[in-house]
Amino acid sequence: MKKLICTAVVAITALFSLLAFAGCKKPPKITVENEYLGTSDESLKVEGMSAYEMFAEAYSNWLAEDGYRREAEIAFSLFIASNIVGTRSALINNIVEGDRIYSQEMSFGDGFAKGMTYASKYYFDGTDAYYLKNENKKDVAYSDGKFTVKNWGEFTPYNDDVAAQNALVGKRWTVYNTTDDSFLASSHNDSVYKVNDTYYFTIVIDCGTEALAGVQADMKTEYVRNMEATASSFWMENTVIDVAVRYVDGKLRFTEWLRKEKYGGKARDLMDVTCEETCYEKLFYDNCGIEDDDLLNLA
């Protein structure tokens, strides 16, 4: 009993320290230059087109894609009550070039969320896989939205499930189950909008209680694990993904998307937390090969 009381005192003391420091924190921001992403301007609406059908076509084409570069920028904030107690900013660069797969991630975190500052790389050469991760905070700097990695380290053989990692890097659009239109929320607007040669639409994913227990059960399991939360306490608002697609070489392909999430639960059986994450991604299909400079000691 004495040990439990001491543990609770330490946790409460740490919590008050975080809340005292929280006033200094600001949520990280992501700048989206494309003003039409997420548009609902009726003057741009294309009659007779379905957002879901267009999404399904672009997604099917992307699963078959064997040459692209995908850049992702992530901004994450962790709240206790209305106070920000931790933030994370990240840049991810994934490249698929035939059988070769490359991923580079730079992440900077502060506050309550631990282990969020690192620089990592993954490379699959078509046969063997390699990996590195540098968690030395002296080597990873972040300022004004820009990362600097002083020392990446060296690749070593990747000893985990290579097939699973390749699928994660190269073929995972989101963690959500989007296999059929049952994932759409009732508030989803199926309209499509067009500016020049680019089509825009918004996908709203149902994250209600039934969806979390059914079609999105795997997503819930992953998020609960990452939060160290109790499954029964987990909640999530509907996720909104603004999408841009256009025809490239005769195929409908993703070019940008912006995902916004808000969820929470009781973390570590101690406190209710709320998480907000924004992820902005851009995709490129020309001149997107893996460079020798990316491969460090493997080049």
Side-chain angles (χ1 to χ4, degrees), residues 82-298:
S82 59
N83 300 290
I84 297 178
V85 297
T87 65
R88 179 194 179 217
S89 298
L91 287 177
I92 303 172
N93 184 29
N94 291 346
I95 300 174
V96 173
E97 183 184 4
D99 292 335
R100 304 167 71 204
I101 298 174
Y102 171 81
S103 178
Q104 173 182 295
E105 182 171 352
M106 296 175 287
S107 176
F108 181 85
D110 63 4
F112 192 65
K114 296 182 179 179
M116 291 291 101
T117 299
Y118 59 85
S120 68
K121 289 176 181 275
Y122 172 82
Y123 175 57
F124 177 70
D125 65 8
T127 303
D128 300 310
Y130 304 88
Y131 180 73
L132 67 83
K133 186 174 185 179
N134 186 348
E135 297 181 276
N136 188 339
K137 293 185 178 181
K138 294 181 179 179
D139 288 331
V140 183
Y142 179 74
S143 178
D144 296 327
K146 295 182 179 180
F147 280 90
T148 301
V149 180
K150 298 177 182 178
N151 177 35
W152 285 96
E154 293 190 348
F155 279 103
T156 59
Y158 184 77
N159 297 317
D160 290 330
D161 189 331
V162 174
Q165 184 66 14
N166 287 350
L168 178 66
V169 173
K171 297 302 175 187
R172 179 162 161 174
W173 192 76
T174 73
V175 64
Y176 300 94
N177 181 353
T178 59
T179 52
D180 59 59
D181 63 1
S182 65
F183 75 90
L184 295 172
S186 60
S187 59
H188 167 74
N189 175 3
D190 207 43
S191 299
V192 175
Y193 308 85
K194 186 178 182 182
V195 179
N196 298 322
D197 63 347
T198 302
Y199 296 90
Y200 298 91
F201 53 85
T202 297
I203 297 293
V204 181
I205 299 176
D206 183 5
C207 297
T209 302
E210 290 186 12
L212 292 176
V215 66
Q216 303 302 345
D218 289 344
M219 177 276 293
K220 176 182 176 180
T221 297
E222 182 169 327
Y223 278 42
V224 166
R225 180 177 63 249
N226 291 341
M227 289 179 61
E228 298 183 53
T230 55
S232 60
S233 70
F234 183 79
W235 58 268
M236 192 170 199
E237 294 185 359
N238 290 344
T239 292
V240 176
I241 307 180
D242 298 322
V243 184
V245 300
R246 64 184 174 87
Y247 284 95
V248 179
D249 298 330
K251 292 183 179 180
L252 191 66
R253 289 170 164 168
F254 293 120
T255 57
E256 295 176 77
W257 66 73
L258 178 71
R259 184 182 73 245
K260 295 180 180 179
E261 298 172 310
K262 185 174 182 178
Y263 55 92
K266 187 173 288 295
R268 302 175 188 173
D269 271 336
L270 290 174
M271 61 199 78
D272 290 315
V273 300
T274 298
C275 304
E276 293 184 6
E277 180 170 302
T278 301
C279 179
Y280 177 44
E281 304 209 18
K282 295 186 286 186
L283 288 94
F284 306 88
Y285 302 94
D286 297 319
N287 303 316
C288 54
I290 301 168
E291 303 291 338
D292 285 347
D293 288 347
D294 297 327
L295 302 181
L296 303 174
N297 57 301
L298 299 178

Side-chain angles (χ1 to χ4, degrees), residues 67-78:
Y68 68 88
R69 177 165 54 90
R70 176 179 173 182
E71 295 180 356
E73 183 178 357
I74 295 173
F76 173 85
S77 296
L78 178 68

